[in-house]
Amino acid sequence: MSEPLVIVFPIYQGVTQLDFTGPLQFLRHMPGAEIIVASVDGADVESEGLHFTQLRPLPEIARCDVLCVPGGSGCTQALQDEAFMRQIRRLGADARYLTSVCTGSLILAAAGLLPGKRAACHWSMRDSLKLFGAIPSAARVERDGNVISGGGVTAGIDFALALIAELHGEDTAQTIQLYLEYAPAPPFTGGTPELAPPHIYAKVQAQMAESLARRRALVAQIAQS
């Protein structure tokens, strides 16, 4: 029998749960996949009122074929956690595919894994990728060599289907898409700065202004250290 395809989701406090639970829901139906959700020392992780337990300790994972890093409000704290970042660098060094959802691409970039690579990210933090030598992409799913990244949060499902198609072909991806009845038809036109009504975009910018300023400043400080 062939070896399973090992997919690792490294998670941390403050991760956005849909960044990894969305892709995980699709990837677990892929033939031959072994999915591991892990944290530093296997510690429990809290995410938006949900608690994830019985996680694998990152140092105990010898290798992976796909490293998939999710984003979240705790991303900047994860960037400062040397134990976490050391494992990202170690697993990413030999992974066949370096992948991410939302601000997870910032973690890959800060680990030195995306120099000169195009990567998607949540629109609010996309430009910060430049600080680590990556190239920001506004695509919902971006592919640059062995780097496949999804934009903000819900883009993780589209990313997962793109990854499944890469690994097992479009028929398998579409089979899983049908099984999970993924046929998005949002009730409103929006969801990106380009599509959202101007007054909605202005409102969201105002709501996020203070926290975004702090996050961007901290990421800039990390990039300079």
Side-chain angles (χ1 to χ4, degrees):
M1 294 179 62
S2 59
E3 292 293 321
L5 183 94
V6 179
I7 302 173
V8 173
F9 288 94
I11 65 173
Y12 48 88
Q13 302 301 330
V15 68
T16 294
Q17 60 88 12
L18 190 59
D19 280 10
F20 74 94
T21 56
L24 187 152
Q25 181 66 51
F26 282 72
L27 293 171
R28 68 178 295 273
H29 293 282
M30 186 170 60
E34 176 186 351
I35 297 178
I36 299 171
V37 183
S39 64
V40 174
D41 298 328
D44 294 354
V45 168
E46 190 278 332
S47 169
E48 301 168 321
L50 299 178
H51 297 267
F52 296 92
T53 64
Q54 300 182 6
L55 304 174
R56 286 275 298 275
L58 278 166
E60 293 183 7
I61 301 170
R63 55 166 294 279
C64 64
D65 297 290
V66 179
L67 180 63
C68 185
V69 184
S73 62
C75 171
T76 46
Q77 286 68 42
L79 291 174
Q80 296 175 290
D81 184 344
E82 180 51 36
F84 179 79
M85 294 301 292
R86 182 165 57 249
Q87 297 306 321
I88 297 297
R89 288 189 289 269
R90 179 182 67 83
L91 290 169
D94 297 319
R96 284 175 54 194
Y97 293 93
L98 298 169
T99 74
S100 63
V101 177
C102 198
T103 52
S105 57
L106 279 176
I107 293 175
L108 289 177
L113 298 171
L114 303 184
K117 295 288 189 178
R118 297 186 308 278
C121 188
H122 190 279
W123 60 266
S124 65
M125 294 294 291
R126 188 185 299 148
D127 284 348
S128 294
L129 286 167
K130 298 175 185 176
L131 298 171
F132 303 102
I135 302 169
S137 169
R140 188 161 173 84
V141 179
E142 179 60 76
R143 168 75 184 270
D144 189 346
N146 71 330
V147 177
I148 306 176
S149 51
V153 191
T154 60
I157 293 177
D158 294 8
F159 148 78
L161 287 169
L163 180 60
I164 294 167
E166 166 72 17
L167 294 168
H168 283 281
E170 290 188 8
D171 279 3
T172 299
Q174 291 192 43
T175 298
I176 295 171
Q177 180 181 4
L178 175 58
Y179 179 75
L180 295 175
E181 198 174 348
Y182 180 59
F188 310 109
T189 298
T192 69
E194 296 79 14
L195 294 175
H199 74 284
I200 296 295
Y201 182 40
K203 180 179 180 179
V204 172
Q205 280 190 308
Q207 291 174 338
M208 298 176 68
E210 187 175 343
S211 62
L212 267 182
R214 288 197 303 268
R215 292 182 73 189
R216 288 170 177 166
L218 182 54
V219 171
Q221 180 181 340
I222 292 168
Q224 293 172 0
S225 62

